[in-house]
Amino acid sequence: MGKLFSSKNKEVLFSPLSKNNPVVVQMLGVCSALAVTAKLEPAIVMAISVTVVVAFANVIISLMRNTIPNRIRIIVQLVVVAALVTIVSELLKAYAYDVNKQLSVFVGLIITNCILMGRLEAFALGNGPWESFLDGIGNGLGYGLILVVIAFFRELLGSGTLLGIQVVPQAAYDFGYVNNGLMILPPMAMFVVAAIIWAHRAKNKDLQEN
Amino acid sequence: MKALRNYLDTIKPNFKEGGKLSMFHSVFEGMETFLFVPNETSKSGVHIHDCSDSKRAMIMVVLALLPALLFGMYNVGYQHNLSIGAVDTGFCMTFIFGFLAVLPKIVVAYVVGLGIEFAVAQVKGHEIQEGFLVSGILIPMIVPIDTPLWMIAVATAFAVIFAKEVFGGTGYNVFNVALITRAVLFFGYPAAMSGDKVFVRTGDTFGLGAGQVVDGFSGATPLAQIATATTTDTQMVNIIGDPVTMMDMFIGLIPGSIGETSKLAILIGAAILLISGVASWKTMISVFIGGAFMTAVFNLFGTTAAMCMTPLDQLMLGGFAFGAVFMATDPVTSARTETGKYIYGFLVGTMTIIIRVLNPGYPEGMMLAILLLNVFAPLIDYYVVDANINRRIKRAVKSTNA
C-alpha cells in the first residue's frame, strides 16, 4: 500500500486539484466548463463522466504505450476515448435521461475535451498504468471541482436554486430580489472562471506571469 | 478659498508617511487635487502641461450633463403626473417629485463606484482617479426611473471591477463603464430594464404624489411602440394616448431613461462639450450622419414600422442623441486618430439603427452599438495609422526616385 501511495503518486493525484488544475492553470476544457454549468446537476454528472473517461483512457493507453506505433498514436487514443465516451453516454441515457438531455452534445463532445488528449499525450504515454490512473482521477476531479464551483454560483445567483431545490427564500423575492438572468448565459460563466483564476493566482503567487 | 487651503495644509501632515491617518493618504490626495490644481512639478526632463488636467475635463462633462439631468428630473415628475391624471401641480412640485426619485440613484451609483475606486487605489497605493466622476452621474441618467437601487448597486460594482479596475483603472478601460453597467442591468434583469412598466413612475416617491393610474395609461416608450407596431403608419402616442409631436420629442416630454429624453438639454450639453474642447465634434457629427444614412437606406425598402421611420424621428427618439453626445465621444474608449473618429462615429450610428430596426427584441440599439464599436476602436486606429505610414512611405519612395 505504501508504494501505491508514495509521495510522488500523491503529487500526481492531488496537484491537479490546485497548483496544476486543468481548467484554471492549464486552460484546458474551458469550453465545456462554460456550456454545462448553468445548473449544478449537469455539472456534477459531467464532472463524474469526464473523470471516469480520463482515468480509464489513461490506464488503457498506458498499458498499450509500448506497443502503439508512434505515428498512429493519436488515432489509437481517439478510438479508446471514443469507446469509453460511448459507454458513458449509453449509461447516462439509460439511468439519467433528463440530465443526458440537458448535457446534450457535450457528453459526446467529451471526446474533444482537451483534457483527455492532453493527459494521454503528456502523461499516459510515458508512465505506468497505476500512476496514469491516479493522474486521470486527479485531473478529472480538478476539472470537476472548477465545474462545481462555477455551477454553484451560476445556479444560486441565476436561478435561486441548488440542485433544483429552492434556496433563496420566497421572502427575498417578495422584498424585490430578482434572479440575475445574465448568470444563466454562458458569458457570465466566463466571468466566474476569470474570478476563480484571479483568486487562485492571487493566492499562488508563483503561478503569476509577468 | 484661502481658508480651505490653510485647512488642507494643517491636516496634511496626518496623511503623510507615518502620520496617524496615513492609510487614507490616497483619499486625501484625491480630495486635495480635486479642490486645487496640484503644484507638484516633474522632477526629470521637460514636460508640457495643460492647465486643464483630467479632473478639470471631467468636471466639464458633469456640467454638460447637468441640463439633461435637471430636465430628466422634471420629466420624471411630469410623466408621473400625467399617468395619475394629477391636475397641474406646478413646476416646483413636479420637479421636486422627480428630484426625490432620481437622487437616490445618483447617491447609490456614486457611493458604490467611488467606494470601489477608493478601496482599489488604497490597496494598490495608486492615486485616486477621477474617471468615476462622470460614470457615476451617467449611470443614473441612462436607466429607467423604476430600476431598483440594489440592481444599480450590483451592476455598478460589477462594471467598475470587471470593466475598469481589472484593465488597470481609469484610462485603460476598453469599454465605457456606464454602458457596461447598463448592459449588466439589461441582460441580468431584463424585466426591470425594458418593457412598458419601468419608464414611468406610477407609484409615489417618499409618500409624495400617490394616486391612481388613469384609464388608458400605457408606459411604452415611442421606440417600443414602433418595435411592436404591426402597420407601417403607426402613430406614436404619449402615455395617456395623445399623439407625440416633434416638439415633445425635442423638449423631452416623452417617457424614456432619465437623462435621454430632452434633445434641447442634450444640445446645450453638446455645446458645452464642444466649446470647452472636451469632446470631439468629428465623432459626434458622424454618429448622426451614420444614423441618418442607415435610416435612409432602410426607408428605401421599408416594410415595417421601424424601417419606415423618418431619419429625424430616429435621431430624436430614444438614447440616440444622448449616446452620440456623451457616450460615443468618451475619449478613452472611442477611436483616437482623427480619421478614425469619423469611421468610429459613422459605424456607431449605422449599427444603432440596424439593431433598432432589425432586432424587434431590442427597441433601442445605442448601448449595444457603442459597446460593439468600443471593441473595434483600437482596430480602426491601427488601420488609420497603418494607412498613414504606407502613404508616407509611398511619397518618400516617389521623391527619392524622382
Side-chain angles (χ1 to χ4, degrees):
Chain A
M1 241 358 231
K3 190 160 168 287
L4 286 182
F5 287 101
S6 64
S7 61
K8 183 173 163 289
N9 284 353
K10 269 189 189 149
E11 170 76 16
V12 166
L13 181 60
F14 291 116
S15 80
L17 291 182
S18 168
K19 277 290 173 70
N20 198 18
N21 191 285
V23 181
V24 301
V25 179
Q26 301 175 42
M27 297 292 158
L28 300 175
V30 176
C31 175
S32 58
L34 305 190
V36 300
T37 50
K39 292 263 157 57
L40 203 47
E41 193 184 358
I44 291 172
V45 173
M46 186 71 179
I48 296 171
S49 309
V50 170
T51 309
V52 170
V53 172
V54 76
F56 285 102
N58 260 2
V59 171
I60 295 170
I61 292 297
S62 175
L63 287 170
M64 305 199 310
R65 70 185 186 280
N66 296 325
T67 51
I68 303 173
N70 198 32
R71 287 154 88 189
I72 61 159
R73 67 181 198 283
I74 300 282
I75 299 171
V76 175
Q77 288 165 13
L78 278 179
V79 171
V80 169
V81 175
L84 287 166
V85 167
T86 310
I87 294 170
V88 168
S89 171
E90 293 300 317
L91 280 174
L92 282 181
K93 268 188 204 140
Y95 295 105
Y97 187 70
D98 288 342
V99 178
N100 188 58
K101 286 282 259 194
Q102 285 181 46
L103 288 171
S104 66
V105 294
F106 287 96
V107 176
L109 285 179
I110 293 176
I111 192 170
T112 60
N113 194 320
C114 329
I115 296 174
L116 276 150
M117 298 306 277
R119 292 332 291 171
L120 294 178
E121 280 283 301
F123 199 89
L125 280 175
N127 291 281
W130 175 241
E131 287 91 343
S132 299
F133 180 73
L134 291 180
D135 180 75
I137 296 283
N139 276 285
L141 290 181
Y143 169 80
L145 179 71
I146 301 300
L147 242 62
V148 168
V149 173
I150 300 170
F152 173 81
F153 285 111
R154 285 184 70 191
E155 185 170 358
L156 180 65
L157 299 174
S159 312
T161 58
L162 284 178
L163 286 170
I165 300 158
Q166 191 70 35
V167 285
V168 175
Q170 187 57 39
Y173 291 106
D174 295 340
F175 201 65
Y177 176 78
V178 183
N179 291 324
N180 190 325
L182 203 52
M183 273 287 170
I184 315 259
L185 305 172
M188 209 56 186
M190 200 75 155
F191 282 101
V192 181
V193 176
I196 293 173
I197 293 174
W198 186 0
H200 190 248
R201 301 271 156 115
K203 199 163 154 278
N204 300 296
K205 296 221 184 299
D206 51 322
L207 291 174
Q208 292 176 6
E209 295 125 22
N210 289 315
Chain B
M1 272 316 208
K2 192 81 186 148
L4 195 60
R5 181 71 257 177
N6 288 338
Y7 176 69
L8 283 177
D9 284 339
T10 44
I11 63 167
K12 198 168 187 173
N14 291 332
F15 295 95
K16 286 269 187 267
E17 193 101 15
K20 57 185 170 189
L21 291 173
S22 67
M23 56 181 294
F24 294 115
H25 72 96
S26 57
V27 178
F28 176 78
E29 263 168 33
M31 290 316 288
E32 190 191 15
T33 52
F34 178 74
L35 293 167
F36 294 97
V37 176
N39 59 359
E40 273 174 41
T41 51
S42 55
K43 296 185 176 58
S44 66
V46 179
H47 294 68
I48 298 176
H49 278 277
D50 193 320
C51 65
S52 134
D53 58 7
S54 61
K55 277 200 176 71
R56 260 33 76 174
M58 296 291 180
I59 283 295
M60 282 320 286
V61 183
V62 174
L63 283 180
L65 282 163
L66 279 184
L69 179 66
L70 293 177
F71 184 86
M73 289 173 175
Y74 172 75
N75 189 41
V76 166
Y78 176 83
Q79 299 292 339
H80 169 79
N81 284 349
L82 211 56
S83 74
I84 61 168
V87 280
D88 196 10
T89 52
F91 178 82
C92 281
M93 282 313 289
T94 311
F95 180 78
I96 287 170
F97 176 89
F99 177 75
L100 290 177
V102 176
L103 190 66
K105 292 186 166 48
I106 302 177
V107 173
V108 166
Y110 269 124
V111 167
V112 173
L114 285 180
I116 293 171
E117 291 247 313
F118 277 38
V120 171
Q122 200 65 57
V123 170
K124 295 195 141 186
H126 291 174
E127 277 178 45
I128 289 171
Q129 294 286 343
E130 45 286 287
F132 198 77
L133 221 53
V134 173
S135 307
I137 200 151
L138 278 173
I139 290 168
M141 291 175 76
I142 55 175
V143 296
I145 183 64
D146 267 352
T147 311
L149 294 177
W150 70 268
M151 285 183 191
I152 295 179
V154 168
T156 307
F158 183 88
V160 171
I161 293 172
F162 282 100
K164 191 170 182 186
E165 296 303 344
V166 294
F167 286 103
T170 302
Y172 296 95
N173 46 321
V174 179
F175 298 102
N176 185 313
V177 178
L179 280 178
I180 289 287
T181 310
R182 193 181 198 282
V184 171
L185 286 168
F186 186 79
F187 291 107
Y189 308 104
M193 284 300 287
S194 47
D196 51 10
K197 298 274 184 289
V198 295
F199 287 101
V200 177
R201 174 160 291 191
T202 49
D204 60 302
T205 301
F206 301 124
L208 263 181
Q212 282 295 315
V213 175
V214 294
D215 289 342
F217 165 80
S218 159
T221 61
L223 274 180
Q225 295 166 25
I226 292 293
T228 53
T230 47
T231 55
T232 53
D233 56 346
T234 302
Q235 171 68 49
M236 287 174 281
V237 294
N238 71 3
I239 57 172
I240 50 168
D242 294 333
V244 174
T245 63
M246 187 52 76
M247 203 57 196
D248 289 340
M249 295 184 210
F250 182 70
I251 301 292
L253 296 174
I254 51 174
S257 296
I258 296 164
E260 73 178 14
T261 58
S262 172
K263 308 302 149 339
L264 177 66
I266 293 169
L267 211 59
I268 298 171
I272 296 176
L273 285 183
L274 293 180
I275 291 168
S276 64
V278 173
S280 159
W281 62 270
K282 292 173 183 168
T283 317
M284 233 182 256
I285 201 87
S286 45
V287 176
F288 286 105
I289 294 172
F293 167 77
M294 204 60 221
T295 316
V297 170
F298 278 123
N299 282 349
L300 284 181
F301 45 93
T303 49
T304 64
M307 276 184 173
C308 289
M309 276 172 89
T310 63
L312 191 60
D313 275 351
Q314 285 281 21
L315 305 191
M316 291 289 258
L317 286 174
F320 196 97
F322 190 86
V325 170
F326 296 111
M327 302 293 209
T329 55
D330 175 358
V332 177
T333 56
S334 70
R336 289 177 197 208
T337 50
E338 296 303 310
T339 320
K341 284 175 184 167
Y342 290 117
I343 303 171
Y344 171 87
F346 187 80
L347 289 177
V348 168
T350 49
M351 276 313 297
T352 306
I353 303 299
I354 290 175
I355 295 170
R356 273 187 188 179
V357 170
L358 296 185
N359 189 335
Y362 304 150
E364 176 57 297
M366 202 64 196
M367 167 184 83
L368 296 170
I370 296 178
L371 287 177
L372 182 71
L373 264 295
N374 281 171
V375 184
F376 286 101
L379 188 73
I380 294 170
D381 281 343
Y382 177 84
Y383 278 106
V384 168
V385 172
D386 213 42
N388 194 34
I389 291 172
N390 285 338
R391 199 165 49 240
R392 295 186 63 154
I393 286 178
K394 258 190 207 140
R395 198 171 59 199
V397 169
K398 210 190 272 170
S399 62
T400 47
N401 287 350

